[in-house]
Amino acid sequence: MAGILENSPNYKLNKSILEKFLSLPQPPNKIQATYIWIDGTGEGIRAKTRTLDFVPEKISDLPIWNYDGSSTYQSEGSNSDTYLYPVAIFKDPFLRNDNKLIMCDTYKYNKKPTDTNKRLSCLEAMKAAANHKPWFGIEQEYTLLDMEGRPFGWPRNGFPGPQGPYYCGVGANKVYARDIVDAHYRACLYAGINISGTNAEVMPAQWEFQVGPCEGISVGDELWVARYLLHRVAEEFGICVTLDPKPMQGDWNGAGAHCNFSTKAMREDNGIIEIEKAIDKLSKQHLRHIKAYDPKGGKDNERRLTGRHETSSIHDFSAGVANRGASIRIPRGVAEDKKGYLEDRRPSSNCDPYSVTEAIVRTVCLDE
Ligand code: ADP
Ligand code: MN
Ligand code: MN
Ligand code: MN
């Protein structure tokens, strides 16, 4: 394992030197703002940093910025200036002090959204459905990889023992790189992300964290920044994160991003009736949802939604209480309380949460 980590240039750096500089006093009214955005793959995250001579308190304080879209698969070289519009502000857990992380969405030279800007239409749907008070909680599963692309901690030639002991596992032979998980959790809390939990997953080197419940558009903003923090924390350890929905072929779990969803009516007494109505609407729009639930319109999820490993088949819609083999699961506690939320288990781990939550709101709240 040490040999594999030593393939990572970042791992070789002595991090205690950085602290000498990060602990230097920062001049008043000079803060570093890291602008974060989604690139042309719809999955990749990019970021760059600038100095501001004030501490931003709200979005309208922040300047619009730009970048070279031809280097992010987002435009032609001849017309490459692409705009960054700030949408949400978080505290920066790496640079600390008054330094900020700025989630942005992206616009072409003509001020039209880029092809992978799924936020704008999501926001329109959320505004139209605001009186339903839609809440979302997303379970982000992911896999840690070494620099050779192998799940972190797996034997170089061969495989770990079969799945069974790893989910919520404890112990050096069960889970790998909890350091990253704990560091990321605390970084999210510091940043101001509504992270609600974490656990080791079924496949070794696979983990999950949850963001939510968040109302409306904010779950997308927060999940994207939580993903940024995860890649960024892992970078310091010399480890990579993949959101591929099926990183290992064969009898190994895939990775999803279950989307838990409720409206105000579902959360009130006898809300189970509203939950059942929502499931009926979802059952009639299965294809729309499959198209929205991974960045390749269903192609990525085809490898994962096989009907095995606690998934449903991509071809069928199904729902049930406590059923982890269904498209939609009603948690046992929700069935008992007769109110609460439903869990849509179909979204892929590399989904765009803006597309997922938009599809749910359009189907369930807006009857589209
Ligand atoms: P699972 O049992 O499927 O592993 P988790 O505990 O991982 O579930 O995740 C459940 C998610 O549901 C959390 O993110 C939580 O915040 C969210 N959640 C809880 N109540 C609601 C609700 N009323 N509406 C939407 N999301 C909710
Ligand atoms: Mn979970
Ligand atoms: Mn899970
Ligand atoms: Mn779940």
Side-chain angles (χ1 to χ4, degrees):
M1 181 141 8
I4 288 169
L5 267 176
E6 273 152 27
N7 284 336
S8 165
N10 287 337
Y11 176 75
K12 290 182 199 158
L13 296 178
N14 178 344
K15 296 286 178 176
S16 65
I17 300 172
L18 174 63
E19 199 45 45
K20 287 208 296 191
F21 297 94
L22 287 186
S23 59
L24 287 172
Q26 194 166 341
N29 293 327
K30 291 284 180 195
I31 73 120
Q32 291 157 287
T34 297
Y35 280 46
I36 298 168
W37 70 97
I38 302 158
D39 74 14
T41 65
E43 296 179 56
I45 298 174
R46 310 282 176 133
K48 63 174 184 167
T49 304
R50 65 183 290 170
T51 306
L52 298 176
D53 55 12
F54 61 94
V55 179
E57 306 286 347
K58 52 189 188 308
I59 290 301
S60 56
D61 294 342
L62 286 159
I64 290 170
W65 202 13
N66 57 61
Y67 64 101
D68 168 15
S70 71
S71 300
T72 60
Y73 321 114
Q74 278 166 311
S75 70
E76 301 289 316
S78 55
N79 204 354
S80 67
D81 276 8
T82 306
Y83 293 101
L84 290 168
Y85 287 19
V87 298
I89 307 176
F90 299 89
K91 291 172 70 179
D92 184 335
F94 304 102
L95 301 179
R96 302 189 188 203
N97 301 335
D98 282 328
N99 302 305
K100 304 293 183 205
L101 302 176
I102 313 295
M103 185 64 202
C104 299
D105 66 354
T106 55
Y107 293 81
K108 295 192 265 202
Y109 67 95
N110 57 8
K111 311 285 166 77
K112 295 252 168 24
T114 62
D115 294 347
T116 51
N117 178 352
K118 308 295 184 193
R119 188 182 191 275
L120 186 64
S121 61
C122 179
L123 184 61
E124 285 161 7
M126 293 300 171
K127 281 182 181 160
N131 57 327
H132 293 266
K133 302 216 171 301
W135 290 6
F136 303 92
I138 299 184
E139 303 167 51
Q140 178 67 64
E141 295 181 335
Y142 61 94
T143 307
L144 300 175
L145 303 177
D146 63 33
M147 292 292 287
E148 293 169 4
R150 187 111 174 119
F152 182 74
W154 284 35
R156 215 175 246 251
N157 303 301
F159 292 89
Q163 296 182 157
Y166 310 116
Y167 168 74
C168 297
V170 181
N173 57 348
K174 309 267 189 342
V175 295
Y176 308 127
R178 192 189 297 277
D179 309 52
I180 290 174
V181 176
D182 287 343
H184 172 255
Y185 200 146
R186 199 60 79 80
C188 284
L189 288 173
Y190 178 91
I193 287 165
N194 186 16
I195 184 169
S196 45
T198 191
N199 58 270
E201 267 303 333
V202 172
M203 185 179 89
Q206 193 182 50
W207 294 86
E208 168 179 317
F209 66 87
Q210 303 98 28
V211 171
C214 297
E215 190 164 322
I217 195 78
S218 64
V219 75
D221 298 338
E222 294 192 24
L223 186 66
W224 275 111
V225 174
R227 287 175 176 178
Y228 166 81
L229 293 175
L230 181 61
H231 290 290
R232 181 66 185 72
V233 165
E235 174 189 312
E236 302 221 3
F237 288 93
I239 290 174
C240 302
V241 176
T242 181
L243 299 189
D244 190 279
K246 193 78 178 184
M248 297 305 282
Q249 302 282 358
D251 226 352
W252 300 104
N253 259 50
H258 301 164
C259 186
N260 299 273
F261 166 69
S262 63
T263 59
K264 185 166 171 286
M266 293 179 190
R267 296 187 292 270
E268 284 168 358
D269 281 352
N270 264 318
I272 192 77
I273 294 169
E274 288 300 316
I275 293 174
E276 278 160 7
K277 277 193 213 160
I279 291 173
D280 186 54
K281 291 179 192 175
L282 289 164
S283 75
K284 294 176 177 133
Q285 299 286 351
H286 182 60
L287 208 56
R288 160 197 266 176
H289 287 260
I290 289 298
K291 282 187 181 147
Y293 283 4
D294 76 51
K296 299 189 190 74
K299 280 271 167 266
D300 274 333
N301 245 338
E302 246 170 47
R303 292 180 285 129
R304 162 179 170 259
L305 294 178
T306 57
R308 304 186 59 218
H309 305 112
E310 301 183 9
T311 68
S312 57
S313 160
I314 193 167
H315 304 293
D316 306 307
F317 180 90
S318 56
V321 173
N323 183 354
R324 290 174 191 266
S327 315
I328 306 284
R329 162 178 158 254
I330 299 176
R332 172 81 62 204
V334 172
E336 280 167 6
D337 296 347
K338 298 191 167 50
K339 63 178 172 186
Y341 61 97
L342 60 83
E343 177 193 44
D344 191 335
R345 300 177 59 80
R346 296 170 293 177
S348 169
S349 45
N350 60 353
C351 69
D352 187 328
Y354 298 129
S355 300
V356 171
T357 58
E358 174 179 354
I360 292 175
V361 156
R362 289 196 188 279
T363 298
V364 175
C365 301
L366 304 179
D367 293 312
E368 286 180 11

